[in-house]
Amino acid sequence: MTTENKPLPPGQFFSPSFDRFGLGLFANRFPAKPDVIEFTIGGDVAQSVNVGKELAALPRMEQVSDFHCVTTWSVQSVRWGGVRFSDFYEQVVMPLARPQQGAGFVVLHGQDGFRVSMQLADLMAPDVLLADTLDGQQLGIAHGAPLRLVAPAHYGYKNLKHIGAIEFWRERGSYRFPLPYPDLMDHPRGRVAFEERARFLPLWLIRPLYRALIPMTRWQSRKALEAYRKKQRGTA
Ligand SMILES: Nc1nc2c(c(=O)[nH]1)N[C@H]1C(S)=C(S)[C@@H](COP(=O)(O)O)O[C@H]1N2
Ligand SMILES: [Mo]
């Protein structure tokens, strides 16, 4: 794929491993059914629908792409498998939900309560996937089971894990980034190549600020994952 092994984008450094990462508030929240792909399509649509099995009819693809977290760590050559978002939109969203004209503001909701916005035009790029495998294995809980968004041109936080709902809106409306996180953390585009890390805040401030958050956030994510796995073993 085109995104494979590109040089590091501005302000990023290579991380030797691909670890679970995310906003601290959601670190301890996991989907109830990580093996079942099922989510809602809603927003300004003629019909809200639950989908899941419909994805199995779409052409599958594998892609190797680099992954860039807004806090400045990057991982090279991650191998994802799934379906193209554009195929999903044209063959599932359009016929079943029938979005209204101009419903191009997309809000993705994770089953952990995280949510993020994307522009429909950006989601239609050929390297944007709804992924359910990583390295040829079923996507695990650490990286977004049962289904996650992969949008390599966009910062990691736009690559929503544990998809629970996707909404198509005509306006931004009352959408905001999940509290207590400041809404200016959610850049309307979030493109890596243009260093769209956050709204308003200058890069000289945001780079070191975000970078300083990495160790604590990694630790939180790892601890939560260990606790989850321990609980799973206990109930198995
Ligand atoms: N549902 C959900 N999706 C999420 C997050 C989250 O906390 N919850 N964190 C985002 C952030 S900040 C990053 S960098 C990536 C991390 O992906 P990984 O856990 O597979 O490394 O997921 C993104 N998607
Ligand atoms: Mo991130």
Side-chain angles (χ1 to χ4, degrees):
M1 243 341 259
T2 48
T3 49
E4 187 174 356
N5 274 322
K6 286 207 178 142
L8 263 183
Q12 298 295 116
F13 71 92
F14 277 127
S15 168
S17 60
F18 187 30
D19 301 317
R20 179 175 187 250
F21 200 87
L23 285 84
L25 181 66
F26 308 101
N28 283 290
R29 305 184 191 170
F30 294 90
K33 291 189 226 162
D35 298 328
V36 185
I37 294 178
E38 194 184 330
F39 60 97
T40 308
I41 303 172
D44 289 324
V45 296
Q47 177 77 52
S48 287
V49 282
N50 279 319
V51 295
K53 292 183 186 64
E54 291 80 356
L55 269 67
L58 302 178
R60 288 197 63 85
M61 61 164 307
E62 277 222 335
Q63 147 179 321
V64 177
S65 46
D66 298 347
F67 190 92
H68 311 289
C69 172
V70 74
T71 64
T72 72
W73 61 264
S74 290
V75 181
Q76 227 173 1
S77 304
V78 187
R79 186 159 62 97
W80 303 103
V83 299
R84 281 205 168 100
F85 188 93
S86 59
D87 288 333
F88 161 72
Y89 186 75
E90 280 157 14
Q91 295 177 47
V92 180
V93 179
M94 292 227 290
L96 297 183
R98 288 172 285 131
Q100 291 172 22
Q101 194 77 36
F105 184 81
V106 183
V107 181
L108 300 117
H109 295 258
Q111 296 180 45
D112 57 354
F114 180 61
R115 64 173 171 266
V116 80
S117 71
M118 281 288 276
Q119 316 264 325
L120 180 58
D122 288 342
L123 288 169
M124 299 301 274
D127 61 354
V128 176
L129 307 184
L130 294 175
D132 61 359
T133 74
L134 171 59
D135 281 334
Q137 309 283 321
Q138 190 182 345
L139 189 63
I141 200 76
H143 292 292
L147 190 71
R148 83 171 300 162
L149 187 77
V150 171
H154 296 260
Y155 283 117
Y157 76 95
K158 298 283 195 185
N159 293 235
L160 186 111
K161 299 184 284 189
H162 318 300
I163 292 174
I166 304 180
E167 296 168 349
F168 299 88
W169 299 100
R170 289 192 305 187
E171 315 268 345
R172 190 177 199 272
S174 60
Y175 165 82
R176 56 150 294 147
F177 207 51
L179 285 165
Y181 299 101
D183 191 60
L184 51 78
M185 281 174 82
D186 189 10
H187 189 282
R189 299 290 292 277
R191 289 171 298 178
V192 178
F194 299 91
E195 246 198 299
E196 294 169 336
R197 289 187 200 269
R199 283 182 286 152
F200 315 123
L201 297 179
L203 290 172
W204 63 261
L205 178 66
I206 196 87
R207 277 184 184 172
L209 204 72
Y210 273 168
R211 187 167 293 197
L213 294 174
I214 297 174
M216 173 71 180
T217 310
R218 275 223 173 106
W219 179 84
Q220 266 182 312
S221 295
R222 199 187 64 235
K223 281 286 153 199
L225 190 60
E226 282 168 12
Y228 172 86
R229 288 189 170 140
K230 200 171 164 196
K231 203 170 137 210
Q232 292 300 104
R233 280 197 300 273
T235 55

mmCIF file of all heavy atoms in Angstrom, residues 48-86:
data_model
loop_
_atom_site.group_PDB
_atom_site.id
_atom_site.type_symbol
_atom_site.label_atom_id
_atom_site.label_comp_id
_atom_site.label_asym_id
_atom_site.label_seq_id
_atom_site.Cartn_x
_atom_site.Cartn_y
_atom_site.Cartn_z
ATOM 1 N N SER A 48 -32.076 4.507 10.963
ATOM 2 C CA SER A 48 -30.976 3.990 11.785
ATOM 3 C C SER A 48 -30.995 2.473 11.719
ATOM 4 O O SER A 48 -32.054 1.872 11.806
ATOM 5 C CB SER A 48 -31.145 4.409 13.252
ATOM 6 O OG SER A 48 -30.862 5.769 13.399
ATOM 7 N N VAL A 49 -29.826 1.877 11.561
ATOM 8 C CA VAL A 49 -29.796 0.412 11.444
ATOM 9 C C VAL A 49 -28.648 -0.177 12.259
ATOM 10 O O VAL A 49 -27.620 0.463 12.470
ATOM 11 C CB VAL A 49 -29.626 -0.062 9.978
ATOM 12 C CG1 VAL A 49 -30.932 0.037 9.223
ATOM 13 C CG2 VAL A 49 -28.521 0.683 9.262
ATOM 14 N N ASN A 50 -28.857 -1.423 12.701
ATOM 15 C CA ASN A 50 -27.775 -2.204 13.288
ATOM 16 C C ASN A 50 -27.176 -3.057 12.192
ATOM 17 O O ASN A 50 -27.911 -3.701 11.444
ATOM 18 C CB ASN A 50 -28.314 -3.133 14.386
ATOM 19 C CG ASN A 50 -28.512 -2.393 15.682
ATOM 20 O OD1 ASN A 50 -27.687 -1.574 16.060
ATOM 21 N ND2 ASN A 50 -29.614 -2.665 16.357
ATOM 22 N N VAL A 51 -25.866 -3.050 12.099
ATOM 23 C CA VAL A 51 -25.214 -3.866 11.081
ATOM 24 C C VAL A 51 -24.110 -4.705 11.709
ATOM 25 O O VAL A 51 -23.728 -4.497 12.862
ATOM 26 C CB VAL A 51 -24.634 -3.004 9.934
ATOM 27 C CG1 VAL A 51 -25.721 -2.294 9.168
ATOM 28 C CG2 VAL A 51 -23.604 -2.020 10.477
ATOM 29 N N GLY A 52 -23.585 -5.628 10.949
ATOM 30 C CA GLY A 52 -22.515 -6.501 11.417
ATOM 31 C C GLY A 52 -22.215 -7.501 10.317
ATOM 32 O O GLY A 52 -21.216 -7.385 9.609
ATOM 33 N N LYS A 53 -23.145 -8.433 10.135
ATOM 34 C CA LYS A 53 -22.952 -9.499 9.136
ATOM 35 C C LYS A 53 -22.784 -8.943 7.730
ATOM 36 O O LYS A 53 -22.122 -9.553 6.887
ATOM 37 C CB LYS A 53 -24.153 -10.440 9.157
ATOM 38 C CG LYS A 53 -24.261 -11.246 10.440
ATOM 39 C CD LYS A 53 -25.434 -12.230 10.366
ATOM 40 C CE LYS A 53 -25.658 -12.941 11.680
ATOM 41 N NZ LYS A 53 -26.053 -12.004 12.757
ATOM 42 N N GLU A 54 -23.378 -7.767 7.486
ATOM 43 C CA GLU A 54 -23.295 -7.147 6.152
ATOM 44 C C GLU A 54 -21.850 -6.948 5.706
ATOM 45 O O GLU A 54 -21.551 -6.939 4.517
ATOM 46 C CB GLU A 54 -24.011 -5.794 6.150
ATOM 47 C CG GLU A 54 -25.524 -5.864 6.298
ATOM 48 C CD GLU A 54 -25.993 -6.061 7.739
ATOM 49 O OE1 GLU A 54 -25.134 -6.216 8.632
ATOM 50 O OE2 GLU A 54 -27.210 -6.083 7.955
ATOM 51 N N LEU A 55 -20.945 -6.780 6.673
ATOM 52 C CA LEU A 55 -19.550 -6.521 6.322
ATOM 53 C C LEU A 55 -18.890 -7.731 5.672
ATOM 54 O O LEU A 55 -17.944 -7.593 4.896
ATOM 55 C CB LEU A 55 -18.741 -6.085 7.555
ATOM 56 C CG LEU A 55 -18.696 -4.572 7.807
ATOM 57 C CD1 LEU A 55 -20.062 -4.029 8.180
ATOM 58 C CD2 LEU A 55 -17.676 -4.232 8.865
ATOM 59 N N ALA A 56 -19.396 -8.915 6.000
ATOM 60 C CA ALA A 56 -18.805 -10.137 5.470
ATOM 61 C C ALA A 56 -18.976 -10.244 3.962
ATOM 62 O O ALA A 56 -18.235 -10.972 3.299
ATOM 63 C CB ALA A 56 -19.434 -11.355 6.160
ATOM 64 N N ALA A 57 -19.925 -9.505 3.396
ATOM 65 C CA ALA A 57 -20.171 -9.563 1.951
ATOM 66 C C ALA A 57 -19.242 -8.626 1.170
ATOM 67 O O ALA A 57 -19.188 -8.674 -0.052
ATOM 68 C CB ALA A 57 -21.635 -9.201 1.666
ATOM 69 N N LEU A 58 -18.506 -7.789 1.867
ATOM 70 C CA LEU A 58 -17.661 -6.802 1.192
ATOM 71 C C LEU A 58 -16.297 -7.403 0.860
ATOM 72 O O LEU A 58 -15.826 -8.301 1.560
ATOM 73 C CB LEU A 58 -17.466 -5.578 2.096
ATOM 74 C CG LEU A 58 -18.740 -4.860 2.532
ATOM 75 C CD1 LEU A 58 -18.416 -3.702 3.464
ATOM 76 C CD2 LEU A 58 -19.532 -4.366 1.328
ATOM 77 N N PRO A 59 -15.652 -6.890 -0.196
ATOM 78 C CA PRO A 59 -14.320 -7.405 -0.529
ATOM 79 C C PRO A 59 -13.327 -7.145 0.606
ATOM 80 O O PRO A 59 -13.301 -6.065 1.172
ATOM 81 C CB PRO A 59 -13.922 -6.607 -1.780
ATOM 82 C CG PRO A 59 -14.902 -5.504 -1.920
ATOM 83 C CD PRO A 59 -16.114 -5.860 -1.135
ATOM 84 N N ARG A 60 -12.542 -8.165 0.928
ATOM 85 C CA ARG A 60 -11.557 -8.014 2.004
ATOM 86 C C ARG A 60 -10.236 -7.519 1.435
ATOM 87 O O ARG A 60 -9.910 -7.774 0.285
ATOM 88 C CB ARG A 60 -11.334 -9.358 2.715
ATOM 89 C CG ARG A 60 -12.499 -9.783 3.592
ATOM 90 C CD ARG A 60 -12.053 -10.859 4.562
ATOM 91 N NE ARG A 60 -11.033 -10.373 5.483
ATOM 92 C CZ ARG A 60 -11.298 -9.719 6.614
ATOM 93 N NH1 ARG A 60 -12.529 -9.490 6.964
ATOM 94 N NH2 ARG A 60 -10.320 -9.309 7.389
ATOM 95 N N MET A 61 -9.506 -6.818 2.272
ATOM 96 C CA MET A 61 -8.174 -6.412 1.842
ATOM 97 C C MET A 61 -7.206 -6.365 3.010
ATOM 98 O O MET A 61 -7.616 -6.246 4.166
ATOM 99 C CB MET A 61 -8.223 -5.078 1.127
ATOM 100 C CG MET A 61 -8.730 -3.946 1.960
ATOM 101 S SD MET A 61 -8.309 -2.384 1.206
ATOM 102 C CE MET A 61 -6.571 -2.514 0.959
ATOM 103 N N GLU A 62 -5.926 -6.505 2.676
ATOM 104 C CA GLU A 62 -4.869 -6.362 3.675
ATOM 105 C C GLU A 62 -4.037 -5.156 3.304
ATOM 106 O O GLU A 62 -3.865 -4.842 2.126
ATOM 107 C CB GLU A 62 -3.972 -7.607 3.687
ATOM 108 C CG GLU A 62 -4.532 -8.726 4.508
ATOM 109 C CD GLU A 62 -3.449 -9.409 5.349
ATOM 110 O OE1 GLU A 62 -2.267 -9.360 4.967
ATOM 111 O OE2 GLU A 62 -3.803 -9.991 6.381
ATOM 112 N N GLN A 63 -3.528 -4.494 4.306
ATOM 113 C CA GLN A 63 -2.738 -3.291 4.061
ATOM 114 C C GLN A 63 -1.675 -3.141 5.130
ATOM 115 O O GLN A 63 -1.921 -3.430 6.296
ATOM 116 C CB GLN A 63 -3.710 -2.118 4.037
ATOM 117 C CG GLN A 63 -3.196 -0.827 4.545
ATOM 118 C CD GLN A 63 -4.257 0.253 4.431
ATOM 119 O OE1 GLN A 63 -5.002 0.326 3.467
ATOM 120 N NE2 GLN A 63 -4.346 1.091 5.424
ATOM 121 N N VAL A 64 -0.514 -2.691 4.710
ATOM 122 C CA VAL A 64 0.552 -2.383 5.663
ATOM 123 C C VAL A 64 0.690 -0.868 5.712
ATOM 124 O O VAL A 64 0.903 -0.232 4.697
ATOM 125 C CB VAL A 64 1.880 -3.040 5.235
ATOM 126 C CG1 VAL A 64 3.000 -2.651 6.180
ATOM 127 C CG2 VAL A 64 1.719 -4.556 5.180
ATOM 128 N N SER A 65 0.522 -0.309 6.894
ATOM 129 C CA SER A 65 0.622 1.146 7.002
ATOM 130 C C SER A 65 1.271 1.538 8.322
ATOM 131 O O SER A 65 1.265 0.784 9.281
ATOM 132 C CB SER A 65 -0.759 1.792 6.851
ATOM 133 O OG SER A 65 -1.740 1.141 7.625
ATOM 134 N N ASP A 66 1.829 2.741 8.334
ATOM 135 C CA ASP A 66 2.426 3.268 9.554
ATOM 136 C C ASP A 66 1.330 3.892 10.412
ATOM 137 O O ASP A 66 0.291 4.301 9.902
ATOM 138 C CB ASP A 66 3.499 4.306 9.214
ATOM 139 C CG ASP A 66 4.648 3.703 8.409
ATOM 140 O OD1 ASP A 66 4.727 2.457 8.345
ATOM 141 O OD2 ASP A 66 5.440 4.466 7.840
ATOM 142 N N PHE A 67 1.586 3.948 11.711
ATOM 143 C CA PHE A 67 0.581 4.418 12.668
ATOM 144 C C PHE A 67 1.198 5.535 13.506
ATOM 145 O O PHE A 67 2.273 5.371 14.072
ATOM 146 C CB PHE A 67 0.166 3.241 13.569
ATOM 147 C CG PHE A 67 -1.016 3.522 14.435
ATOM 148 C CD1 PHE A 67 -2.306 3.222 14.005
ATOM 149 C CD2 PHE A 67 -0.860 4.084 15.701
ATOM 150 C CE1 PHE A 67 -3.401 3.480 14.801
ATOM 151 C CE2 PHE A 67 -1.963 4.346 16.509
ATOM 152 C CZ PHE A 67 -3.239 4.040 16.059
ATOM 153 N N HIS A 68 0.510 6.655 13.586
ATOM 154 C CA HIS A 68 1.076 7.840 14.237
ATOM 155 C C HIS A 68 0.156 8.387 15.321
ATOM 156 O O HIS A 68 -0.903 8.949 15.011
ATOM 157 C CB HIS A 68 1.331 8.933 13.198
ATOM 158 C CG HIS A 68 2.078 8.464 11.988
ATOM 159 N ND1 HIS A 68 3.420 8.131 12.039
ATOM 160 C CD2 HIS A 68 1.678 8.248 10.719
ATOM 161 C CE1 HIS A 68 3.811 7.752 10.825
ATOM 162 N NE2 HIS A 68 2.769 7.809 10.019
ATOM 163 N N CYS A 69 0.555 8.253 16.557
ATOM 164 C CA CYS A 69 -0.221 8.832 17.658
ATOM 165 C C CYS A 69 0.082 10.327 17.769
ATOM 166 O O CYS A 69 1.233 10.742 17.587
ATOM 167 C CB CYS A 69 0.102 8.129 18.962
ATOM 168 S SG CYS A 69 -0.640 8.917 20.410
ATOM 169 N N VAL A 70 -0.924 11.081 18.110
ATOM 170 C CA VAL A 70 -0.781 12.534 18.219
ATOM 171 C C VAL A 70 0.204 12.927 19.330
ATOM 172 O O VAL A 70 0.774 14.013 19.308
ATOM 173 C CB VAL A 70 -2.179 13.165 18.429
ATOM 174 C CG1 VAL A 70 -2.693 12.934 19.836
ATOM 175 C CG2 VAL A 70 -2.187 14.644 18.095
ATOM 176 N N THR A 71 0.428 11.998 20.286
ATOM 177 C CA THR A 71 1.392 12.290 21.357
ATOM 178 C C THR A 71 2.844 12.086 20.900
ATOM 179 O O THR A 71 3.742 12.103 21.735
ATOM 180 C CB THR A 71 1.124 11.440 22.613
ATOM 181 O OG1 THR A 71 1.331 10.067 22.295
ATOM 182 C CG2 THR A 71 -0.275 11.662 23.155
ATOM 183 N N THR A 72 3.049 11.837 19.618
ATOM 184 C CA THR A 72 4.334 11.833 18.896
ATOM 185 C C THR A 72 5.006 10.469 18.703
ATOM 186 O O THR A 72 6.052 10.396 18.057
ATOM 187 C CB THR A 72 5.404 12.825 19.478
ATOM 188 O OG1 THR A 72 5.902 12.348 20.732
ATOM 189 C CG2 THR A 72 4.833 14.236 19.624
ATOM 190 N N TRP A 73 4.433 9.368 19.223
ATOM 191 C CA TRP A 73 5.047 8.061 18.905
ATOM 192 C C TRP A 73 4.437 7.509 17.620
ATOM 193 O O TRP A 73 3.273 7.746 17.317
ATOM 194 C CB TRP A 73 4.927 7.062 20.062
ATOM 195 C CG TRP A 73 3.535 6.698 20.498
ATOM 196 C CD1 TRP A 73 2.827 7.240 21.514
ATOM 197 C CD2 TRP A 73 2.671 5.672 19.944
ATOM 198 N NE1 TRP A 73 1.598 6.660 21.629
ATOM 199 C CE2 TRP A 73 1.480 5.690 20.680
ATOM 200 C CE3 TRP A 73 2.804 4.759 18.895
ATOM 201 C CZ2 TRP A 73 0.397 4.820 20.410
ATOM 202 C CZ3 TRP A 73 1.743 3.890 18.629
ATOM 203 C CH2 TRP A 73 0.562 3.933 19.387
ATOM 204 N N SER A 74 5.270 6.783 16.873
ATOM 205 C CA SER A 74 4.834 6.168 15.626
ATOM 206 C C SER A 74 5.292 4.716 15.580
ATOM 207 O O SER A 74 6.311 4.367 16.172
ATOM 208 C CB SER A 74 5.450 6.877 14.415
ATOM 209 O OG SER A 74 4.920 8.163 14.246
ATOM 210 N N VAL A 75 4.537 3.904 14.872
ATOM 211 C CA VAL A 75 4.937 2.520 14.632
ATOM 212 C C VAL A 75 4.925 2.293 13.131
ATOM 213 O O VAL A 75 4.023 2.747 12.426
ATOM 214 C CB VAL A 75 3.981 1.512 15.312
ATOM 215 C CG1 VAL A 75 4.450 0.094 15.066
ATOM 216 C CG2 VAL A 75 3.886 1.779 16.790
ATOM 217 N N GLN A 76 5.973 1.598 12.658
ATOM 218 C CA GLN A 76 6.110 1.359 11.242
ATOM 219 C C GLN A 76 5.477 0.038 10.839
ATOM 220 O O GLN A 76 5.525 -0.933 11.588
ATOM 221 C CB GLN A 76 7.608 1.313 10.892
ATOM 222 C CG GLN A 76 7.936 2.134 9.688
ATOM 223 C CD GLN A 76 9.440 2.214 9.467
ATOM 224 O OE1 GLN A 76 10.231 1.639 10.212
ATOM 225 N NE2 GLN A 76 9.835 2.922 8.436
ATOM 226 N N SER A 77 4.897 0.015 9.663
ATOM 227 C CA SER A 77 4.459 -1.214 9.001
ATOM 228 C C SER A 77 3.558 -2.090 9.856
ATOM 229 O O SER A 77 3.933 -3.185 10.258
ATOM 230 C CB SER A 77 5.665 -2.040 8.551
ATOM 231 O OG SER A 77 6.495 -1.266 7.727
ATOM 232 N N VAL A 78 2.380 -1.613 10.106
ATOM 233 C CA VAL A 78 1.377 -2.406 10.813
ATOM 234 C C VAL A 78 0.482 -3.068 9.765
ATOM 235 O O VAL A 78 0.005 -2.408 8.844
ATOM 236 C CB VAL A 78 0.525 -1.532 11.760
ATOM 237 C CG1 VAL A 78 -0.395 -2.403 12.602
ATOM 238 C CG2 VAL A 78 1.403 -0.657 12.646
ATOM 239 N N ARG A 79 0.284 -4.400 9.889
ATOM 240 C CA ARG A 79 -0.477 -5.127 8.871
ATOM 241 C C ARG A 79 -1.916 -5.341 9.323
ATOM 242 O O ARG A 79 -2.181 -6.109 10.241
ATOM 243 C CB ARG A 79 0.197 -6.473 8.569
ATOM 244 C CG ARG A 79 -0.444 -7.228 7.407
ATOM 245 C CD ARG A 79 0.516 -8.251 6.818
ATOM 246 N NE ARG A 79 0.901 -9.268 7.796
ATOM 247 C CZ ARG A 79 0.321 -10.467 7.882
ATOM 248 N NH1 ARG A 79 -0.647 -10.818 7.047
ATOM 249 N NH2 ARG A 79 0.727 -11.335 8.796
ATOM 250 N N TRP A 80 -2.814 -4.609 8.703
ATOM 251 C CA TRP A 80 -4.236 -4.685 9.051
ATOM 252 C C TRP A 80 -5.012 -5.453 7.977
ATOM 253 O O TRP A 80 -4.627 -5.436 6.811
ATOM 254 C CB TRP A 80 -4.847 -3.278 9.107
ATOM 255 C CG TRP A 80 -4.211 -2.303 10.031
ATOM 256 C CD1 TRP A 80 -3.377 -1.271 9.694
ATOM 257 C CD2 TRP A 80 -4.367 -2.239 11.461
ATOM 258 N NE1 TRP A 80 -3.013 -0.576 10.825
ATOM 259 C CE2 TRP A 80 -3.610 -1.137 11.914
ATOM 260 C CE3 TRP A 80 -5.079 -2.988 12.396
ATOM 261 C CZ2 TRP A 80 -3.530 -0.780 13.260
ATOM 262 C CZ3 TRP A 80 -5.010 -2.638 13.727
ATOM 263 C CH2 TRP A 80 -4.243 -1.549 14.151
ATOM 264 N N GLY A 81 -6.101 -6.058 8.369
ATOM 265 C CA GLY A 81 -7.012 -6.675 7.412
ATOM 266 C C GLY A 81 -8.433 -6.262 7.720
ATOM 267 O O GLY A 81 -8.801 -6.073 8.882
ATOM 268 N N GLY A 82 -9.207 -6.108 6.667
ATOM 269 C CA GLY A 82 -10.607 -5.732 6.869
ATOM 270 C C GLY A 82 -11.243 -5.317 5.566
ATOM 271 O O GLY A 82 -10.881 -5.839 4.504
ATOM 272 N N VAL A 83 -12.182 -4.388 5.654
ATOM 273 C CA VAL A 83 -12.855 -3.901 4.452
ATOM 274 C C VAL A 83 -12.609 -2.398 4.321
ATOM 275 O O VAL A 83 -12.390 -1.709 5.311
ATOM 276 C CB VAL A 83 -14.373 -4.190 4.490
ATOM 277 C CG1 VAL A 83 -14.616 -5.695 4.563
ATOM 278 C CG2 VAL A 83 -15.064 -3.473 5.651
ATOM 279 N N ARG A 84 -12.656 -1.939 3.110
ATOM 280 C CA ARG A 84 -12.500 -0.499 2.891
ATOM 281 C C ARG A 84 -13.714 0.245 3.427
ATOM 282 O O ARG A 84 -14.848 -0.179 3.223
ATOM 283 C CB ARG A 84 -12.392 -0.195 1.394
ATOM 284 C CG ARG A 84 -11.042 -0.448 0.816
ATOM 285 C CD ARG A 84 -10.824 0.425 -0.429
ATOM 286 N NE ARG A 84 -9.424 0.384 -0.800
ATOM 287 C CZ ARG A 84 -8.954 -0.383 -1.789
ATOM 288 N NH1 ARG A 84 -9.766 -1.121 -2.507
ATOM 289 N NH2 ARG A 84 -7.659 -0.395 -2.055
ATOM 290 N N PHE A 85 -13.454 1.392 4.067
ATOM 291 C CA PHE A 85 -14.574 2.203 4.536
ATOM 292 C C PHE A 85 -15.452 2.625 3.359
ATOM 293 O O PHE A 85 -16.684 2.649 3.463
ATOM 294 C CB PHE A 85 -14.085 3.441 5.306
ATOM 295 C CG PHE A 85 -15.214 4.184 5.969
ATOM 296 C CD1 PHE A 85 -15.572 3.909 7.283
ATOM 297 C CD2 PHE A 85 -15.952 5.130 5.273
ATOM 298 C CE1 PHE A 85 -16.646 4.563 7.881
ATOM 299 C CE2 PHE A 85 -17.019 5.791 5.863
ATOM 300 C CZ PHE A 85 -17.368 5.506 7.173
ATOM 301 N N SER A 86 -14.825 2.939 2.223
ATOM 302 C CA SER A 86 -15.605 3.411 1.060
ATOM 303 C C SER A 86 -16.571 2.322 0.572
ATOM 304 O O SER A 86 -17.706 2.626 0.197
ATOM 305 C CB SER A 86 -14.686 3.863 -0.065
ATOM 306 O OG SER A 86 -13.852 2.801 -0.473
#
